């Protein structure tokens, strides 16, 4: 089956620093990638939709200047949390859809746990 | 996306069939019913989806009522590894998914 990886799996950083999270589709080309955030004991919240070669579409309430998304190739999307603060501590999960897929079978990465001190 | 309603939690004995209900009375004609699950501290995993007809794959069966207002996900022989939060989502194909709170399924030895 289609595999999506994320790196790093866990990161701890100081307040004010920036953190980059990578999402890769390992064995397929992903036209669209999605970024989610999940706080403890809560459900996944979609942050943005990323299409290869174009600007990401952010959900309402998500600051695009704080959460920078780049989808430069069909196998890689990155999320950069800029000037991270403790309230940004969360579980960040990406997902990818197969090129040309007609229904919403998304393949999810294992997630990245961010802790901002 | 269609609003879905699921029980917050369920228990099932190991080896028995787990039947997870989902209400989606406002689902539109072009919206599929998707089921995903999330094992603790992992990314969600696609299980199955359907539009009108019942569906079965190696993981589960999906039974959709004729009026499409509700559905049931069936795990035929639950194992301890099936303990997870199960999400029922109504959405058109090729569009974003909106996750609700899901059902926390606990498989009991």
């Amino acid at each position: 089956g289609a595999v999506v990886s994320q790196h790093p799996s866990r990161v701890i950083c100081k307040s004010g620093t920036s953190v980059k999270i990578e999402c890769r589709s390992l064995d397929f080309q992903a036209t669209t990638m999605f970024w989610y955030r999940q706080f403890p004991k809560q459900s996944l919240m979609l942050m943005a939709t990323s299409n290869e070669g174009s600007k990401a579409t952010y959900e309402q309430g998500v600051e695009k200047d704080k959460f920078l998304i780049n989808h430069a190739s069909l196998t890689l999307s990155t999320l950069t949390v800029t000037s991270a603060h403790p309230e940004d501590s969360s579980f960040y999960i990406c997902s990818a859809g197969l090129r040309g897929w007609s229904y919403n079978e998304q393949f999810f990465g294992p997630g990245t746990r961010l802790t901002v001190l | 996306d269609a609003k879905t309603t699921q029980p917050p939690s369920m228990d099932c004995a190991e080896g028995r069939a787990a039947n997870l209900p989902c209400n989606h009375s406002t689902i539109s004609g072009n919206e599929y019913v998707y089921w995903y699950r999330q094992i603790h501290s992992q990314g969600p995993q696609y299980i199955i989806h359907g539009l009108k007809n019942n569906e079965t794959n190696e993981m589960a069966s999906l039974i959709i009522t004729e009026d499409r207002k509700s559905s049931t996900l069936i795990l035929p022989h639950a194992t301890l590894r099936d303990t997870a939060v199960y999400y029922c989502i109504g959405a058109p194909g090729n569009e974003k998914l909106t996750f609700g709170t899901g059902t926390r399924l606990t498989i009991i030895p």
Side-chain angles (χ1 to χ4, degrees):
Chain A
V3 179
V4 175
S5 70
Q6 281 185 243
H7 178 80
S9 59
R10 186 181 296 267
V11 58
I12 300 172
C13 70
K14 292 182 179 180
S15 184
T17 61
S18 294
V19 175
K20 179 184 284 188
I21 302 170
E22 291 187 349
C23 176
R24 293 182 184 272
S25 56
L26 297 185
D27 50 3
F28 66 101
Q29 292 184 324
T31 307
T32 304
M33 288 185 171
F34 302 86
W35 286 95
Y36 297 82
R37 179 169 53 181
Q38 186 174 33
F39 293 108
K41 298 187 178 182
Q42 295 186 23
S43 188
L44 285 80
M45 295 296 294
L46 180 65
M47 299 175 67
T49 302
S50 168
N51 290 300
E52 183 262 338
S54 63
K55 290 184 178 180
T57 301
Y58 290 82
E59 294 298 301
Q60 191 172 7
V62 178
E63 300 174 58
K64 62 180 181 180
D65 294 331
K66 181 170 182 62
F67 299 99
L68 302 179
I69 293 173
N70 183 278
H71 192 164
S73 77
L74 287 170
T75 60
L76 174 65
S77 177
T78 61
L79 168 68
T80 301
V81 183
T82 63
S83 186
H85 291 287
E87 58 265 29
D88 298 322
S89 297
S90 188
F91 192 48
Y92 291 86
I93 310 169
C94 71
S95 72
L98 286 168
R99 187 183 182 91
W101 102 102
S102 61
Y103 59 88
N104 224 329
E105 181 179 349
Q106 294 183 22
F107 301 94
F108 284 82
T112 296
R113 189 162 301 282
L114 170 64
T115 302
V116 184
L117 302 178
Chain B
D1 290 359
K3 178 176 170 53
T4 60
T5 304
Q6 299 177 252
S9 64
M10 291 181 62
D11 293 340
C12 178
E14 187 178 17
R16 304 296 292 269
N19 298 288
L20 291 90
C22 178
N23 286 322
H24 33 78
S25 57
T26 61
I27 197 167
S28 300
N30 67 334
E31 290 182 320
Y32 292 82
V33 179
Y34 299 91
W35 283 84
Y36 282 78
R37 72 180 182 184
Q38 186 178 24
I39 296 170
H40 183 63
S41 293
Q42 297 183 23
Q45 177 189 23
Y46 166 83
I47 300 174
I48 199 168
H49 79 282
L51 185 62
K52 296 181 183 178
N53 300 320
N54 298 337
E55 303 288 344
T56 296
N57 63 20
E58 64 278 6
M59 289 183 67
S61 295
L62 174 60
I63 309 297
I64 304 174
T65 58
E66 194 168 340
D67 62 10
R68 300 211 327 125
K69 292 185 176 182
S70 65
S71 61
T72 301
L73 178 75
I74 302 173
L75 308 178
H77 304 286
T79 71
L80 297 178
R81 288 178 294 182
D82 292 322
T83 292
V85 178
Y86 287 76
Y87 298 98
C88 168
I89 303 168
N94 207 18
E95 288 194 15
K96 62 185 180 183
L97 299 174
T98 301
F99 285 80
T101 52
T103 295
R104 183 173 299 278
L105 175 67
T106 302
I107 306 302
I108 300 180

